[in-house]
Amino acid sequence: MPQFSMKSAGMLIGIAMVVLLGWTFASNDSFSVARQNLLIEEVLQGNLAQTIEGYGTLSSERQQLITSYSAATVKEIVLKPGAQVDKDSVILRLENPELEQALQSAEQDLNQAQANLRQLRLNNQRERLNETANLAELNALYENAALNKAAEEKLVEQGIVSQLSYQQSVLEEKQLKQRIEILKQRISHLALVHEESVNIQQERVNQQQGLVDIAQSRLDKLTVRAGIDGVLQRLSVELGQSLSAGQEIALIGSVSELIALIRIPQNQAQLVRIGVPAIIDTRRDEIHGEVRRIDPIVENNTVEVEIALHGELPASARPQLSVDGTIIADTLENITYIKRPAGSQSNTSATLYLLEENSNQATRHTLQFGVQTGQFIQILSGASAGQQFVISDLSNMSEASDTLVIN
């Protein structure tokens, strides 16, 4: 009896060791995770839009940079950044006493030039009157000489007047007629001279008027206006600040005409083409648009893409608003794809756990990925539509286990 007990005990110990070893090996080949802690996605098949995600801001399509026209001092700030403006809105007022003095001096010179023009016209009129009077006097003498000639012509036939006297009357009439013709030509030429002299003086007046207009314009520009309808995006001056000519004062941007400036990863920029559609998310609304420009400069491994927005903009759209952008670069037709697993990238392979049908177990399978598009990634091989994979990152649990038990 003791012998049988010892043999039975030995067998029990052996069986227990086999079971223990089997459990140990099984523990090394599998591990368990609660289902609520896993992300499980089904493999899909069909057309998939190849999208590129980015981030950026809305920006005014029309912007106007306002600079100081001349040296001045900031006298009054009327509006601050964020204020809605129209083209006549006053942003601030500047001060420059020298511009006021320049305007007064220019106006005085203009008044003098205008007075000189009036004086010239009076002198010309007086000279024309004198010449007209001379012409009238010559006409009277000519008419008198003509009468004498006519009278003597009859008397010379009767022998009452000598031939010499008659010839003198004929000569006098002829000379007066020539003098009248010469005086008429002189008066005609004098009118041209007067007209040209008035034109020259008028040009001087116009030039001086231009100087007055320039001085007035420079003075008017001390009252700084927006110039376009929009919003005051930036004010670069302070009260009492001295400005030099050309120094920046403010930046005005349109409100109704906006574009989106989206930064996308450099390695996806080659997929983007001019004219492809895009969707801009303001966190409250979605705005449709299309790619209009791709910046060739790379900054921090990103490329800026300009999106032209279509249709009427929603109320949530405003300049400098942070937005997300989705560019639809292409459509991949009839492909196999899955929601992108953690850490996966385009044109790489990864090992995921495939859920077995009618079982709570998943086994490791290697998948070859193709193009990544948004939150999805193309599967080139290793899976078929309808299969379910664990896409959670399980590397920190057990990389060597071939089997996953889902509780």
Side-chain angles (χ1 to χ4, degrees):
M1 187 72 178
Q3 258 185 340
F4 175 78
S5 298
M6 289 181 64
K7 287 175 78 178
S8 298
M11 291 177 64
L12 290 173
I13 292 174
I15 292 171
M17 290 182 66
V18 170
V19 171
L20 180 61
L21 288 173
W23 179 86
T24 302
F25 286 122
S27 298
N28 288 338
D29 290 340
S30 67
F31 67 101
S32 62
V33 179
R35 191 179 188 92
Q36 63 266 25
N37 295 330
L38 297 176
L39 294 176
I40 300 175
E41 292 293 335
E42 182 178 347
V43 176
L44 303 174
Q45 187 166 8
N47 296 341
L48 179 65
Q50 186 177 4
T51 60
I52 300 172
E53 307 289 337
Y55 63 92
T57 59
L58 296 181
S59 178
S60 299
E61 185 170 13
R62 293 181 58 212
Q63 290 185 321
Q64 179 160 302
L65 182 66
I66 302 176
T67 59
S68 177
Y69 192 75
S70 58
T73 303
V74 180
K75 180 181 180 181
E76 179 186 5
I77 295 179
V78 179
L79 298 176
K80 295 183 178 180
Q84 296 285 332
V85 297
D86 58 37
K87 62 180 182 179
D88 295 322
S89 297
V90 177
I91 299 175
L92 52 85
R93 292 184 174 88
L94 306 177
E95 186 178 37
N96 186 342
E98 293 181 357
L99 295 184
E100 297 179 3
Q101 295 176 359
L103 176 59
Q104 292 176 0
S105 177
E107 288 176 339
Q108 291 176 357
D109 292 340
L110 175 61
N111 292 335
Q112 183 62 51
Q114 291 173 336
N116 293 339
L117 178 59
R118 291 193 299 271
Q119 183 64 50
L120 177 62
R121 285 174 173 165
L122 290 174
N123 293 339
N124 291 346
Q125 185 179 10
R126 183 170 55 249
E127 190 171 357
R128 285 196 303 271
L129 289 174
N130 290 336
E131 294 300 328
T132 302
N134 292 335
L135 179 60
E137 183 179 353
L138 284 178
N139 281 328
L141 292 175
Y142 173 74
E143 290 175 0
N144 186 48
L147 290 174
N148 288 336
K149 173 196 168 187
E152 290 182 354
E153 187 177 1
K154 294 179 180 180
L155 294 175
V156 75
E157 294 176 356
Q158 299 174 5
I160 299 175
V161 176
S162 66
Q163 187 69 28
L164 178 60
S165 178
Y166 172 72
Q167 291 299 325
Q168 288 178 343
S169 296
V170 172
L171 179 61
E172 183 179 1
E173 180 196 28
K174 182 178 179 181
Q175 290 176 343
L176 287 173
K177 185 177 181 180
Q178 290 176 347
R179 288 177 62 187
I180 289 173
E181 292 299 326
I182 293 172
L183 185 55
K184 285 181 178 179
Q185 292 177 7
R186 179 181 175 185
I187 291 175
S188 177
H189 182 69
L190 186 62
L192 297 177
V193 172
H194 286 172
E195 182 180 3
E196 186 63 22
S197 63
V198 170
N199 290 338
I200 292 173
Q201 186 59 36
Q202 184 64 58
E203 289 179 1
R204 293 174 182 169
V205 171
N206 294 341
Q207 290 175 357
Q208 195 58 45
Q209 181 66 59
L211 295 178
V212 170
D213 293 342
I214 292 174
Q216 183 66 59
S217 176
R218 295 180 67 185
L219 190 63
D220 291 342
K221 290 183 186 301
L222 293 180
T223 301
V224 180
R225 302 181 186 275
I228 62 172
D229 297 344
V231 63
L232 177 57
Q233 294 184 352
R234 184 169 70 235
L235 187 65
S236 307
V237 299
E238 298 177 352
L239 189 65
Q241 181 177 345
S242 295
L243 305 179
S244 57
Q247 185 170 343
E248 178 182 333
I249 294 178
L251 178 65
I252 308 296
S254 60
V255 176
S256 58
E257 302 174 63
L258 299 178
I259 57 175
L261 300 177
I262 303 299
R263 303 204 72 86
I264 62 172
Q266 175 189 359
N267 59 1
Q268 294 181 302
Q270 70 274 10
L271 302 175
V272 181
R273 303 185 310 276
I274 301 297
V276 298
I279 299 175
I280 302 301
D281 186 1
T282 68
R283 278 51 166 204
R284 289 180 55 188
D285 301 283
E286 287 188 350
I287 310 171
H288 292 268
E290 65 178 33
V291 174
R292 186 166 66 182
R293 182 180 62 86
I294 304 171
D295 197 326
I297 300 176
V298 178
E299 293 183 3
N300 298 324
N301 295 321
T302 62
V303 173
E304 184 178 79
V305 178
E306 181 179 315
I307 308 295
L309 305 181
H310 295 160
E312 184 176 353
L313 298 180
S316 60
R318 64 180 188 276
Q320 307 305 317
L321 176 68
S322 296
V323 295
D324 294 326
T326 302
I327 299 173
I328 305 173
D330 199 359
T331 299
L332 304 175
E333 298 183 354
N334 195 27
I335 66 167
T336 303
Y337 62 94
I338 192 172
K339 195 168 185 179
R340 189 163 62 90
S344 62
Q345 294 182 354
S346 299
N347 302 315
T348 60
S349 60
T351 301
L352 302 179
Y353 285 96
L354 169 64
L355 272 68
E356 298 178 358
E357 294 184 7
N358 303 321
S359 173
N360 65 339
Q361 291 187 350
T363 56
R364 289 163 61 94
H365 280 256
T366 300
L367 282 70
Q368 183 67 38
F369 293 132
V371 177
Q372 172 187 331
T373 168
Q375 60 180 341
F376 296 98
I377 192 167
Q378 180 185 18
I379 300 176
L380 298 179
S381 63
S384 57
Q387 292 180 326
Q388 291 184 323
F389 285 86
V390 177
I391 64 171
S392 303
D393 184 7
L394 302 178
S395 59
N396 60 340
M397 295 183 180
S398 176
E399 294 184 356
S401 299
D402 292 331
T403 304
L404 169 66
V405 178
I406 302 175
N407 298 326

